[in-house]
């Protein structure tokens, strides 16, 4: 832990001053919400268990509230920001408020969904406040492309946090739950109130912890093949798997055969299956059928299109943007900050 001045972090007045100087006017209509509480960002860093030897990647740093707190604790921070104005201002903010750590900071001015490499040593942790609309695609894409990331803590809208951490049988268990569990052990790690944002959103936010699996899922099927089964199963989640997987397998009888071979009841539904069971189905796909296209090709990121899941699963917005239009009250959790 570095020795930085107590006032190095940004407070409410600092955030407003920076926003005014940059001509940034956060509004609920534009979906901009900046974290203004130093205690909250330090809490996020503690919950993320950031270590002095960590290389942390942050997506959507905004004005730099969390960035500065991460620099207090980590060896190095790499921030990915798509917004031209915010990306241009952040290095100067770091240099002014934490000059002794400025050489430990790097900025990547890009859409996080397009980033395939990062400067410097490989990242060991991902800590970010993710915009609501793109939270799931960004999270899954980062975990896929940067396998060196061992620990992740993201702040997202509470509903999305619940879905990511849901277990089989839970009513909100779905595509994000299964795909996140492919990479990591996932759990809820706390809640964040509305009053730590400026402007205050109309929804609550939640923290989600993901610890990378030490051993990958034991399966002969590829991630692409498993994710194709997941997408198909939840595309028609009210149907039995025999019916829901008919398109994936080529026919309902072929789907039933694959399910029976995997040891799964054809009358079961997707929300009752573990990621391991989805993998077992993928292993028994009938010969001669092709992999589905929804989230199932290596040309797309691993959560890019989730057409039947309505919270944070559609890659329709830039992933590092300070602006986003969430579907619940148009409020992202921590967007742009």
């Amino acid at each position: 832990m570095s020795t930085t001045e107590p006032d190095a972090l940004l407070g409410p007045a600092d955030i407003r001053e920076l926003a005014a100087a940059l001509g940034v006017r956060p509004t609920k209509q534009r979906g901009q919400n900046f974290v203004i509480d130093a205690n909250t960002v330090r809490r996020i860093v503690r919950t993320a268990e950031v270590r002095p030897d960590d290389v942390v990647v942050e997506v959507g740093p905004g004005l730099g509230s969390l960035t500065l707190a991460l620099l207090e604790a980590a060896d190095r921070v790499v921030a990915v920001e798509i917004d031209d104005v915010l990306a241009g201002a952040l290095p100067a903010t770091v240099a002014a408020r934490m000059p002794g750590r400025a050489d430990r900071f790097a900025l990547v001015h890009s859409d996080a969904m397009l980033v395939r490499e990062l400067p410097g040593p490989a990242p060991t942790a991902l800590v970010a406040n993710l915009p609501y609309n793109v939270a799931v695609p960004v999270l899954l894409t980062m975990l896929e492309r940067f396998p060196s990331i061992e620990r992740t803590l993201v702040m997202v809208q509470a509903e999305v946090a619940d879905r990511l951490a849901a277990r089989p049988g839970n009513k909100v268990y779905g595509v994000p739950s299964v795909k996140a569990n492919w990479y990591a052990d996932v759990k809820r790690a706390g809640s964040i109130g509305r009053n730590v944002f400026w402007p205050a959103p109309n929804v609550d936010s939640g923290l989600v912890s993901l610890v990378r699996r030490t051993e990958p899922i034991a399966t002969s099927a590829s991630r692409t093949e498993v994710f194709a089964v997941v997408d198909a199963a939840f595309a028609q989640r009210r149907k039995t798997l025999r019916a829901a997987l008919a398109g994936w397998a080529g026919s309902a009888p072929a789907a039933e055969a694959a399910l029976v071979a995997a040891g799964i009841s054809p009358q079961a539904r997707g929300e009752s299956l573990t990621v391991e069971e989805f993998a077992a189905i993928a292993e028994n796909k009938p010969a001669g059928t092709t992999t589905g296209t929804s989230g199932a090709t290596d040309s797309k990121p691993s959560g890019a299109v989730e057409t039947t899941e309505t919270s944070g699963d559609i890659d329709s917005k830039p992933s590092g943007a300070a602006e986003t239009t969430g579907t619940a009250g148009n409020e992202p959790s921590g967007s742009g900050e």
Side-chain angles (χ1 to χ4, degrees):
M1 182 78 69
S2 64
T3 56
T4 55
E5 294 299 323
D7 60 354
L9 302 192
L10 299 173
D14 300 311
I15 291 291
R16 290 179 171 84
E17 182 180 339
L18 275 172
L22 297 173
V24 174
R25 297 177 179 84
T27 66
K28 292 184 179 181
Q29 289 74 23
R30 295 175 65 189
Q32 289 182 314
N33 302 83
F34 299 110
V35 178
I36 59 174
D37 181 60
N39 289 330
T40 295
V41 292
R42 282 202 171 111
R43 174 191 165 195
I44 291 171
V45 172
R46 287 195 306 270
T47 304
E49 298 182 355
V50 175
R51 302 188 296 248
D53 60 346
D54 271 324
V55 177
V56 179
V57 59
E58 179 190 8
V59 175
L63 291 170
S65 294
L66 179 57
T67 310
L68 294 169
L70 289 169
L71 277 169
E72 282 190 331
D75 179 62
R76 179 177 172 83
V77 175
V78 180
V80 180
E81 176 60 66
I82 192 173
D83 184 271
D84 294 341
V85 174
L86 297 175
L90 187 54
T93 299
V94 170
R97 302 191 72 90
M98 218 170 272
R101 304 289 291 171
D103 63 339
R104 303 284 183 162
F105 172 73
L107 177 76
V108 176
H109 183 191
S110 177
D111 181 341
M113 295 293 288
L114 303 179
V115 172
R116 292 187 175 274
E117 59 182 16
L118 296 168
T124 57
L126 166 65
V127 184
N129 302 337
L130 296 177
Y132 175 50
N133 267 22
V134 295
V136 171
V138 168
L139 174 62
L140 296 179
T141 298
M142 295 297 287
L143 290 173
E144 174 193 342
R145 292 181 181 166
F146 300 99
S148 61
I149 293 175
E150 301 168 354
R151 286 162 290 113
T152 294
L153 187 80
V154 291
M155 179 161 66
V156 294
Q157 186 161 351
E159 177 189 352
V160 178
D162 289 340
R163 297 173 72 218
L164 282 167
R167 298 290 185 265
N170 189 299
K171 65 180 181 180
V172 298
Y173 182 76
V175 172
S177 323
V178 182
K179 291 185 176 180
N181 200 235
W182 168 266
Y183 297 103
D185 294 323
V186 188
K187 67 177 182 180
R188 267 290 222 132
S191 299
I192 301 292
R194 306 177 188 190
N195 62 346
V196 303
F197 296 99
W198 172 60
N202 292 326
V203 293
D204 293 322
S205 300
L207 299 175
V208 182
S209 167
L210 301 96
V211 177
R212 175 86 63 173
R213 290 177 176 271
T214 54
E215 296 291 337
I217 300 294
T219 178
S220 60
S222 68
R223 174 194 61 79
T224 294
E225 292 167 334
V226 175
F227 282 14
V229 180
V230 175
D231 289 333
F234 287 100
Q236 303 177 75
R237 63 186 299 154
R238 289 183 178 84
K239 292 188 175 183
T240 64
L241 287 172
R242 182 183 189 277
L245 297 181
W248 165 82
S251 68
E256 179 170 350
L259 289 161
V260 171
I264 296 165
S265 169
Q267 301 307 308
R269 288 177 169 77
E271 57 262 32
S272 67
L273 268 58
T274 65
V275 65
E276 290 85 359
E277 288 173 316
F278 280 110
I281 297 171
E283 290 176 359
N284 288 280
K285 184 172 185 176
T289 57
T290 58
T291 300
T293 58
S294 178
T297 67
D298 286 329
S299 62
K300 286 182 179 292
S302 62
V305 180
E306 319 272 356
T307 55
T308 60
E309 297 287 316
T310 58
S311 295
D313 307 329
I314 300 177
D315 179 23
S316 59
K317 291 287 183 179
S319 61
E323 296 181 40
T324 174
T325 53
T327 58
N330 290 338
E331 299 294 346
S333 65
S335 168
E337 194 49 52

